[in-house]
């Protein structure tokens, strides 16, 4: 990411004719928010003097504590390529309280706290996400439908995949915003796509996931389509994941690699895997935050269901890709793109670090097809299961005190409150499936 100073940003804004700047931040549930200012207020914003009403944001503060400030991250300055004549730019912001202290309810701050702890131990993290999404047509009223834009499959090309033109424009837009795109392709389900951007430090990657979602939705809309990161929009086909590829460095060296190990993995890599496995049930309400997330976490659609790891196959929760040396990494496959990336990375990195600090050891790798195993075989291999519903995931989050401490009391309590309301609304709602199955029969 390019480094900017205050004076450079003011100069670029003047030279490019920027008229508006969006000061962006993310709420607890992962929604991107912003306060738009004109360039006349830019210098004030860069001096951390832009205030907003925090009581209006989901899960932030009470009305009597509402005055909050936005502190822009200068290195996040970027023009919006889709706005004419470079008229709109953005800055990603941290949220601070009126007294000048960081707001502990900000998801970005939660991740920064974890990274600060890791840095104190001499560790830094690189993360590469794989974000999948669907492209749907809109109906006559301009609302999203469930009619996919194509009927293509894995790696198909046009004209079978007309979505390749949309992907091309998304890629070009992201490159203008400083992304290095490594690959883009059609995914396995009809209407499903993936664009992969290069790994970076964990905070930059979380910022980029939020920017990625905004760009994908914006460019799709310009093509008359609706892009969704909903994990499982269509029954009977694969859902969308957000696989997280993580590596850990110390003194500039990837310490997940050990050339003397049979699998090429260090003791830290094994302990990191063990830490994630120890806390994965408590993390799942964060990495898979929607009722709909659990419609994806079912057998036979490539999403992981069972708690296991492997360096050879793709069915377990954690996979170690084949690359070794500097490219040695651990892939968590359960997370989906509806997750708040700041919180998802915070709990994943913290869980892995907990394993490293406690020198935990994972169970043996499971290299066979876990889906084909009987319950007895899974027990023999110490293979557990992920929560099967948001309700179960919330219960596991409440039980895992370590994950709760990572999130902090404010985020934890507000998050659980919101998710329990979501689950209650879901379980009391009469679905179309019930109407179709029961109305005429009983």
């Amino acid at each position: 990411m390019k480094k900017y100073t205050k004076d450079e940003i003011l100069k670029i804004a003047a030279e490019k004719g920027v008229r508006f700047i969006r000061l962006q931040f993310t709420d607890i549930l992962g929604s991107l928010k912003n306060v738009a200012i004109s360039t006349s207020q830019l210098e004030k914003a860069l001096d951390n003097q832009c205030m907003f009403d925090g009581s209006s944001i989901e899960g932030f503060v009470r009305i009597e504590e509402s005055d909050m400030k936005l502190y822009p991250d200068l290195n996040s300055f970027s023009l919006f390529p889709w706005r004419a004549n470079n008229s709109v730019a953005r800055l990603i912001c941290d949220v601070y309280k009126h007294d000048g202290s960081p707001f502990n309810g900000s998801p970005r701050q939660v991740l920064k706290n974890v990274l600060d702890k890791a840095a104190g131990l001499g560790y830094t993290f690189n993360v590469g996400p794989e974000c999948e999404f669907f492209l749907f047509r809109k109906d006559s009223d301009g609302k999203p439908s469930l009619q996919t834009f194509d009927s293509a499959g894995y790696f198909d090309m046009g004209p079978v995949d007309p979505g390749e033109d949309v992907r091309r424009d998304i890629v070009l837009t992201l490159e203008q915003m400083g992304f290095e795109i490594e690959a883009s392709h059609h995914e396995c389900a009809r209407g499903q796509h993936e664009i992969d951007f290069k790994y970076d430090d964990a905070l930059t990657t979380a910022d980029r996931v939020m920017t990625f979602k905004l760009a994908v939705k914006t460019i799709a809309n310009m093509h008359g389509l609706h892009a969704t990161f909903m994990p499982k929009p269509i029954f009977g086909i694969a859902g969308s994941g957000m696989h997280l590829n993580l590596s850990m460095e110390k003194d500039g060296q990837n310490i997940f690699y050990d050339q003397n190990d049979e699998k090429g993995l260090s003791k830290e890599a094994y302990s990191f895997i063990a830490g994630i496995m120890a806390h994965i049930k408590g993390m799942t309400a964060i990495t898979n935050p929607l009722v709909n997330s659990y419609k994806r976490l079912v057998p036979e659609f490539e999403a992981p269901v069972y708690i296991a790891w492997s360096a050879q196959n793709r069915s377990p929760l954690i996979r170690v890709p084949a690359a070794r040396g500097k490219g040695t990494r651990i892939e968590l496959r359960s997370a989906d793109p509806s997750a708040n990336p700041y919180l998802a990375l915070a709990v994943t990195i913290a869980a892995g670090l907990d394993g490293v600090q406690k020198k935990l050891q994972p169970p043996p790798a499971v290299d066979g097809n876990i889906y084909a195993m009987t319950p007895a075989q899974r027990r023999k291999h110490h293979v557990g299961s992920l929560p099967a519903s948001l309700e179960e995931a919330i219960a596991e989050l409440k039980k895992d005190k370590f994950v709760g401490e990572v999130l902090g009391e404010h985020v934890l309590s507000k998050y659980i409150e919101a998710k329990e309301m979501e689950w209650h609304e879901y379980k009391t709602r009469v679905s179309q499936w019930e109407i179709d199955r029961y109305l005429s029969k009983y």
Side-chain angles (χ1 to χ4, degrees), residues 114 118 121 123 125 246 248 256 267-280 283 318 330 332 344-360 402-403 406:
V114 170
L121 298 170
Y123 302 128
F125 289 88
L246 302 100
M248 186 165 73
F256 280 169
K267 62 181 186 299
E268 290 89 354
Y270 287 113
S271 292
F272 197 88
I273 291 170
I276 293 177
M277 292 178 70
H279 294 291
I280 189 62
M283 292 164 44
I318 296 172
I330 291 166
L332 177 64
L345 285 180
V347 297
T348 302
I349 290 171
L353 271 179
D354 188 51
V356 171
Q357 289 185 282
K358 293 178 178 176
K359 298 182 179 180
L360 300 181
F402 175 82
V403 173
V406 171

Side-chain angles (χ1 to χ4, degrees), residues 137-389:
R137 298 183 185 275
K138 296 182 180 181
D139 63 21
S140 57
D141 295 323
K143 296 180 179 180
S145 73
L146 285 178
Q147 182 183 0
T148 59
F149 189 49
D150 63 73
S151 298
Y154 255 137
F155 306 123
D156 277 343
M157 300 171 57
V160 176
D161 174 24
E164 67 180 10
D165 291 338
V166 185
R167 289 200 310 271
R168 176 202 61 206
D169 288 349
I170 293 170
V171 167
L172 294 175
T173 298
L174 291 170
E175 287 181 337
Q176 290 181 67
M177 298 185 77
F179 284 64
E180 182 177 337
I181 304 300
E182 294 188 325
S184 69
H185 60 87
H186 197 285
E187 260 292 333
C188 64
R190 64 182 186 272
Q192 189 183 35
H193 304 265
E194 181 177 319
I195 298 174
D196 299 329
F197 51 91
K198 188 177 180 180
Y199 69 85
D200 213 315
D201 68 88
L203 185 63
T204 298
T205 295
D207 287 340
R208 284 184 171 164
V209 169
M210 296 304 298
T211 300
F212 177 85
K213 290 181 180 182
L214 175 64
V216 167
K217 284 181 170 290
T218 299
I219 301 306
N221 187 63
M222 293 172 69
H223 280 264
L225 302 172
H226 176 73
T228 182
F229 293 93
M230 180 179 178
K232 184 84 168 186
I234 301 177
F235 168 74
I237 63 176
S240 292
M242 183 176 68
H243 299 174
L244 299 174
N245 293 268
L246 302 100
S247 63
M248 186 165 73
E249 292 188 353
K250 190 170 189 177
D251 300 324
Q253 299 296 315
N254 185 336
I255 63 169
F256 280 169
Y257 175 61
D258 183 351
Q259 63 180 354
N260 298 316
D261 179 72
E262 177 187 7
K263 297 182 185 296
L265 300 176
S266 67
K267 62 181 186 299
E268 290 89 354
Y270 287 113
S271 292
F272 197 88
I273 291 170
I276 293 177
M277 292 178 70
H279 294 291
I280 189 62
K281 290 185 178 182
M283 292 164 44
T284 299
I286 304 298
T287 56
N288 306 85
L290 306 183
V291 166
N292 182 255
S293 296
Y294 301 85
K295 307 294 177 73
R296 168 182 168 260
L297 297 178
V298 295
E300 299 179 6
F301 292 101
E302 296 195 5
V305 179
Y306 302 112
I307 303 172
W309 75 280
S310 175
Q312 294 187 19
N313 75 68
R314 293 174 179 267
S315 63
L317 170 78
I318 296 172
R319 184 175 78 98
V320 182
R324 289 296 179 267
K326 193 173 182 179
T328 308
R329 63 193 187 274
I330 291 166
E331 179 186 21
L332 177 64
R333 302 181 61 256
S334 59
D336 71 53
S338 68
N340 183 325
Y342 300 104
L343 298 183
L345 285 180
V347 297
T348 302
I349 290 171
L353 271 179
D354 188 51
V356 171
Q357 289 185 282
K358 293 178 178 176
K359 298 182 179 180
L360 300 181
Q361 288 298 308
V366 180
D367 297 327
N369 184 350
I370 301 176
Y371 300 132
M373 290 181 178
T374 65
Q377 289 173 322
R378 289 196 290 271
R379 285 194 296 272
K380 179 180 177 181
H381 287 87
H382 307 286
V383 176
S385 298
L386 292 175
S389 68

